Amino acid sequence: MESNYINDDQLDLLLNELASLYGYDFTGYARSSMKRRVNRLIIVDKFTNFEALLETIKNDSTYFRRFVEEITVNVTEMYRDPSTFKMIREKVLPAIATQPFIRIWHAGCSTGEEVYSMAIMLHEANLLHKSLIYATDLSSLAIENIKQGIFPLSQIAKDTENYLASGGKNNFSEYYTVKKDTAIFNQNLKTKIITATHNLVSDSSFNEFQLIFCRNVLIYFNKSLQDRVLTLFDESLETLGFLILGTKENIRFTKVAAKFSQPDNTQKIWRKIL
Ligand SMILES: C[S@@+](CC[C@H](N)C(=O)[O-])C[C@H]1O[C@@H](n2cnc3c(N)ncnc32)[C@H](O)[C@@H]1O
C-alpha cells in the first residue's frame, strides 16, 4: 500500500497557500481525490514529505504550474461517449441550425479533442461557417495544444472508431494529415476555434451561447462549487440553449434543476426552458 503523506490539516494549509500566493482556489474540489493526487505527486516527484512539497510550491512558480497540471485530470478523447455526440448530431444541431450565428462554449475541454470533434460535426452539418467555438480550460498547456490541433497518432484508431459510432459518415482521415507520430488537424477547423484560459472557480461568463459543453469536470467539484458553475452556465445560455455534461454528472438536485428539461434521460443533455 502507498504511504499516506498528507492529512486533512495539511490539505487545508496547502489550499490556503495556493489561494493566497497564486490566487487559485481549490477549496471547492472533492477533498478525497485532491488528497490522493497530492499524495501521488509527493511520491512521483520524490519529496521526502508534505512540508518539502509545500516549500517548493511556495518558492518555485514553475513547479506550481506543474502542480496545477498534475492535480487536475486531463484525460480526454474525441467523440468521448459516442452516443452523446450522436444525439448532438441528430437532435441538437438541427435545433440550433436556424440561428443566424452559433456560439458554443467548451468549458474545461482539456487538450481539445472534444472541440475538434464538434468542429468536424459542424462542418458536416454545413454549420461551421456561421459558428464560433470557444475552448477554455484552467490549464495553459492544454490551451496551447488546442491552438496547435496536433494529437498523437496512437489515439487516432480509437478516435476514428468513436467518430463512426457517433454517426460520422466520412473517411475520418480526411480531417488530418499524418506527420511522424502525430495527426495534424486541418486548418479550416481551427479558424472557428477561439482559445483562452478560464477558471470556472473564479472567472465569469464572457458571452451568450446556444450550446455549452462541460463534460467530466463537475465530478471533481463539491456540491457548492457545482452549483456556482451551473449558475454560471445558466446565465451564459440563451433560452432553449443546450447544456452537455459528462455521463456521471447530473443537474438533478442542483440550484438550476428547475430551469432545464432533459429531452432524453439516457443522455446527459439538458435544454434551458426558463
Ligand atoms: C477530465 S478533463 C475533461 C475533458 C473533456 N471535457 C472531456 O470530457 O473529455 C477535466 C478538465 O477540467 C479542467 N479543469 C479542472 N478545474 C478547472 C477549473 N477550475 N476551471 C476550468 N477547467 C478546469 C482540467 O484542466 C481538465 O482539463
Side-chain angles (χ1 to χ4, degrees):
M1 213 177 88
E2 275 183 1
S3 316
N4 200 357
Y5 287 102
I6 175 164
N7 61 36
D8 281 305
D9 290 344
Q10 288 169 325
L11 180 64
D12 288 335
L13 181 62
L14 173 64
L15 296 181
N16 287 338
E17 292 288 358
L18 294 170
S20 66
L21 276 175
Y22 295 105
Y24 275 64
D25 180 2
F26 288 106
T27 53
Y29 285 56
R31 286 179 72 91
S32 54
S33 85
M34 271 300 259
K35 269 167 73 177
R36 226 177 15 252
R37 298 188 76 78
V38 173
N39 205 51
R40 189 189 142 271
L41 203 54
I42 292 175
I43 295 165
V44 170
D45 286 351
K46 299 190 171 52
F47 290 104
T48 44
N49 52 29
F50 166 76
E51 284 73 19
L53 168 77
L54 185 62
E55 276 315 298
T56 306
I57 290 174
K58 280 161 71 172
N59 297 311
D60 181 349
S61 59
T62 309
Y63 186 79
F64 162 73
R65 278 196 289 280
R66 166 170 168 76
F67 174 83
V68 173
E69 298 295 335
E70 291 296 316
I71 221 68
T72 51
V73 179
N74 293 323
V75 178
T76 187
E77 64 189 34
M78 286 195 170
Y79 301 93
R80 185 175 189 176
D81 312 310
S83 64
T84 300
F85 279 90
K86 196 168 197 313
M87 184 161 164
I88 296 169
R89 200 189 277 282
E90 291 173 357
K91 298 278 191 298
V92 175
L93 290 187
I96 59 175
T98 51
Q99 300 272 351
F101 199 68
I102 299 171
R103 283 180 305 275
I104 300 171
W105 179 15
H106 290 263
C109 63
S110 188
T111 38
E113 281 81 343
E114 175 188 285
V115 179
Y116 281 85
S117 305
M118 195 58 199
I120 290 168
M121 287 206 322
L122 287 164
H123 164 76
E124 292 181 354
N126 198 23
L127 296 174
L128 188 60
H129 65 282
K130 61 168 180 173
S131 302
L132 270 185
I133 309 174
Y134 295 80
T136 68
D137 198 277
L138 182 66
S139 158
S140 45
L141 279 182
I143 293 301
E144 257 328 293
N145 201 86
I146 304 172
K147 282 187 194 152
Q148 304 291 325
I150 301 176
F151 299 99
L153 200 55
S154 55
Q155 290 177 2
I156 288 291
K158 175 72 177 157
D159 292 341
T160 307
E161 191 185 306
N162 284 357
Y163 165 77
L164 295 172
S166 79
K169 301 266 186 295
N170 291 353
N171 187 343
F172 193 57
S173 63
E174 282 171 18
Y175 296 117
Y176 60 85
T177 313
V178 176
K179 193 166 179 195
K180 294 190 180 152
D181 53 358
T182 61
I184 305 170
F185 276 73
N186 296 351
Q187 186 59 33
N188 74 313
L189 301 172
K190 287 180 214 168
T191 55
K192 296 298 181 174
I193 300 173
I194 296 170
T195 53
T197 53
H198 180 279
N199 188 344
L200 288 165
V201 176
S202 49
D203 293 336
S204 44
S205 179
F206 48 90
N207 216 324
E208 240 199 355
F209 303 94
Q210 282 87 32
L211 188 51
I212 297 179
F213 286 75
C214 186
R215 309 194 67 222
N216 307 297
V217 181
L218 296 180
I219 33 167
Y220 300 105
F221 295 171
N222 67 20
K223 168 92 176 69
S224 70
L225 183 53
Q226 288 182 6
D227 275 336
R228 185 219 183 256
V229 174
L230 287 168
T231 303
L232 177 70
F233 293 152
D234 177 37
E235 289 164 1
S236 312
L237 261 183
E238 280 185 11
T239 306
L240 297 181
F242 293 87
L243 174 64
I244 300 166
L245 303 181
T247 53
K248 297 193 195 77
E249 296 160 333
N250 213 310
I251 67 166
R252 246 187 306 151
F253 310 122
T254 69
K255 252 174 136 177
V256 302
K259 297 181 157 195
F260 287 83
S261 71
Q262 192 178 14
D264 172 345
N265 65 12
T266 66
Q267 295 300 332
K268 297 301 173 67
I269 299 178
W270 281 269
R271 194 157 198 196
K272 181 169 163 171
I273 46 173
L274 290 175

